[in-house]
Amino acid sequence: MPSKSSPLPGPISSDHELLREILGGSPLGLHQTHHVVLPAARRSLEICLRSVNGVGAVWGDIPNHYENGEPTGPELDDISLFRLWAADVNQRYVLRFGCAAKLGCFTAVIDARTQEDLIQLLDKSRPPDTAPFIDDVLPAIVRSIERLGWSYIPLSDEYPLALFIVSPARKASIAGIKAAALREGIPFSQLQYITGRETWRLCPELRRMCRVSHGESK
């Protein structure tokens, strides 16, 4: 999932440079939110969903099946059928395809029980004629997080990182995610505000994953 920033032409020189590459020029005050950065992977998504008792839906995609297992069709552009994501058969799709960014296409997992008016509000942040950039849509998610409750957002199709952000009412879930990640050996980091700018200090394992994904040596 790209931002409008140009791809880094050479080696990653700093965590802050990587942040700007992924999120664009304005990091949105994410350090003030309740969040954690994890590897963009199925297990990360499973841990996050479990921590908030979430039923995931891939915002922007169409559910593949009705509750009875029959395949859906183009009529599911109707926003009222978003609830079909809660069906077990569609939950398998969420875990498989919602955990990581798709090439050149925005991906975010939100709750399948999200109210229709909020989905419509989020949809307005998507450019009508082009694929959305993360810096088009992430601000809308941040502004709406109190109503959304939570969102899992793969940050880039080039760098294997995902952001899990929760509302203030769910802030305790972040500690639970960190505890689960520690038990399972999954690395995590958070955004910080350091020397007058928002940045992050990635843990060594996440930094290594990004460098390898970028074609650099370990």
Side-chain angles (χ1 to χ4, degrees):
M1 176 182 11
S3 75
K4 296 188 185 75
S5 301
S6 299
L8 293 174
I12 301 167
S13 63
S14 70
D15 291 346
H16 184 67
E17 184 181 52
L18 177 62
L19 174 67
R20 289 180 61 84
E21 154 70 2
I22 293 175
L23 295 183
S26 176
L28 311 168
L30 286 171
H31 68 282
Q32 297 176 321
T33 67
H34 304 284
H35 73 275
V36 63
V37 178
L38 299 155
R42 177 174 179 144
R43 189 59 187 145
S44 297
L45 177 55
E46 288 175 334
I47 289 172
C48 291
L49 289 173
R50 186 176 66 228
S51 75
V52 292
N53 294 317
V55 180
V58 183
W59 171 41
D61 285 8
I62 296 174
N64 286 341
H65 296 87
Y66 293 102
E67 292 96 332
N68 63 6
E70 291 295 316
T72 59
E75 72 276 6
L76 284 201
D77 285 341
D78 185 342
I79 199 170
S80 66
L81 298 177
F82 188 82
R83 60 177 177 77
L84 287 178
W85 281 113
D88 288 344
V89 63
N90 292 323
Q91 284 297 291
R92 291 194 289 271
Y93 178 97
V94 172
L95 291 174
R96 183 176 178 184
F97 294 105
C99 63
K102 299 186 283 291
L103 182 63
C105 181
F106 176 76
T107 301
V109 177
I110 63 175
D111 201 291
R113 299 159 293 191
T114 300
Q115 295 179 358
E116 291 178 23
D117 69 304
L118 183 51
I119 297 170
Q120 291 171 332
L121 181 65
L122 294 175
D123 285 346
K124 290 178 180 178
S125 69
R126 302 169 65 93
D129 302 319
T130 61
F133 291 94
I134 190 169
D135 34 351
D136 290 320
V137 292
L138 186 54
I141 291 176
V142 173
R143 288 193 301 268
S144 305
I145 197 63
E146 286 204 36
R147 287 190 63 196
L148 280 172
W150 57 268
S151 182
Y152 173 96
I153 308 157
L155 291 175
S156 170
D157 53 27
E158 185 173 0
Y159 304 106
L161 301 174
L163 170 73
F164 189 66
I165 179 172
V166 302
S167 66
R170 295 177 180 265
K171 64 182 180 181
S173 64
I174 297 298
I177 291 169
K178 291 178 180 179
L182 283 171
R183 287 194 300 271
E184 299 193 24
I186 297 172
F188 60 86
S189 292
Q190 286 184 288
L191 288 150
Q192 304 172 44
Y193 198 73
I194 301 171
T195 61
R197 66 180 184 179
E198 184 172 70
T199 188
W200 53 19
R201 286 179 175 166
L202 293 178
C203 66
E205 180 62 13
L206 286 180
R207 188 181 298 115
R208 184 195 67 80
M209 291 169 58
C210 288
R211 292 185 183 277
V212 169
S213 180
H214 195 242
E216 301 176 34
S217 63
K218 299 181 182 180

